[in-house]
Amino acid sequence: RYLHSVLARVQPNETDLIPRYLTTHGTRSLDSVLLIVIAWGECVQQTGDRQLADDLCPQAHQALHWVERKTDARGLISQGPFADWADSIGRRGAVLYTNVLWWKARQTLEQMEQIPDTHSQEIRARILRHFYKDGYLHIPPESPIFTSPGNFMAVAWGLTDSHQSASILDYADKKNISQVVPARVTDRS
């Protein structure tokens, strides 16, 4: 903790936050941008503050536009290595976690603008088509690894239907994913 503060990697809480767009690996952090859009929507829903929705809609559009520049030929967000919360792992390409966040952020923006959720439903369909196999959502489509973050967010937020959600939760139960708290991150090393 001390070494992190000496290297200025911890932001003080007595001053304004300073946005950081690059991770410590020098990559662009996609998930933090998406999480802020989702948090903004939750704040508006919890407070009922429509002015907050209206005031920040343009910035939410810009944030999503920035992330969506990383869309690949399949219509999924493709990230570079070390570009999300698992920044000690060089996973790259279409990653489930980032794409679920993208879907939720796009759905949040559509709710804040009070428009039909057409774009988010297209993203949802692409995610399910590319990631859902063998009863759960795979980390990248080519890998059989089950990951808790993407799968559990997909269930909690309603990206998966009731049958798919039950299948995901059954698989997690069978693999004792929730045997430890909060949960194991993957079903294997």
Side-chain angles (χ1 to χ4, degrees):
R1 192 175 268 272
Y2 173 74
L3 191 53
H4 280 258
S5 65
V6 169
L7 298 173
R9 289 183 60 194
V10 175
Q11 294 183 1
N13 60 9
E14 59 274 348
T15 62
D16 290 340
L17 290 175
I18 301 165
R20 296 188 183 195
Y21 303 103
L22 297 178
T23 69
T24 54
H25 297 286
T27 59
R28 306 233 181 260
S29 176
L30 300 177
D31 62 339
S32 61
V33 173
L34 298 167
L35 286 164
I36 292 215
V37 172
I38 295 165
W40 160 67
E42 285 294 315
C43 183
V44 169
Q45 286 182 341
Q46 293 296 318
T47 64
D49 186 350
R50 286 301 312 162
Q51 189 62 49
L52 180 62
D54 296 341
D55 289 348
L56 296 181
C57 248
Q59 289 89 338
H61 269 286
Q62 286 179 324
L64 286 179
H65 176 70
W66 183 79
V67 170
E68 288 169 350
R69 293 180 310 146
K70 301 289 186 184
T71 306
D72 66 13
R74 298 172 295 186
L76 299 170
I77 297 296
S78 181
Q79 67 185 51
F82 314 109
D84 62 23
W85 75 273
D87 62 357
S88 62
I89 301 169
R91 61 187 184 176
R92 65 184 68 190
V95 173
L96 175 64
Y97 167 77
T98 306
N99 279 277
V100 170
L101 288 178
W102 175 39
W103 164 78
K104 182 62 175 173
R106 178 51 73 178
Q107 183 186 58
T108 296
L109 181 59
E110 291 166 348
Q111 289 170 346
M112 294 301 102
E113 291 184 318
Q114 299 175 332
I115 60 173
D117 61 350
T118 1
H119 196 119
S120 64
Q121 287 305 316
E122 291 169 4
I123 295 168
R124 176 184 179 272
R126 287 194 298 267
I127 290 171
L128 292 174
R129 182 171 49 252
H130 291 288
F131 290 100
Y132 191 80
K133 297 181 221 169
D134 308 320
Y136 60 91
L137 297 157
H138 291 229
I139 183 168
E142 305 78 32
S143 170
I145 295 177
F146 174 95
T147 58
S148 306
N151 274 281
F152 290 167
M153 287 186 313
V155 170
W157 287 334
L159 183 141
T160 51
D161 64 29
S162 60
H163 174 72
Q164 293 163 330
S165 295
S167 179
I168 289 168
L169 296 175
D170 287 347
Y171 182 85
D173 189 46
K174 184 174 86 177
K175 294 292 185 173
N176 295 318
I177 296 292
S178 297
Q179 190 172 27
V180 296
V181 175
R184 290 181 23 225
V185 177
T186 63
D187 65 343
R188 61 197 88 182
S189 297

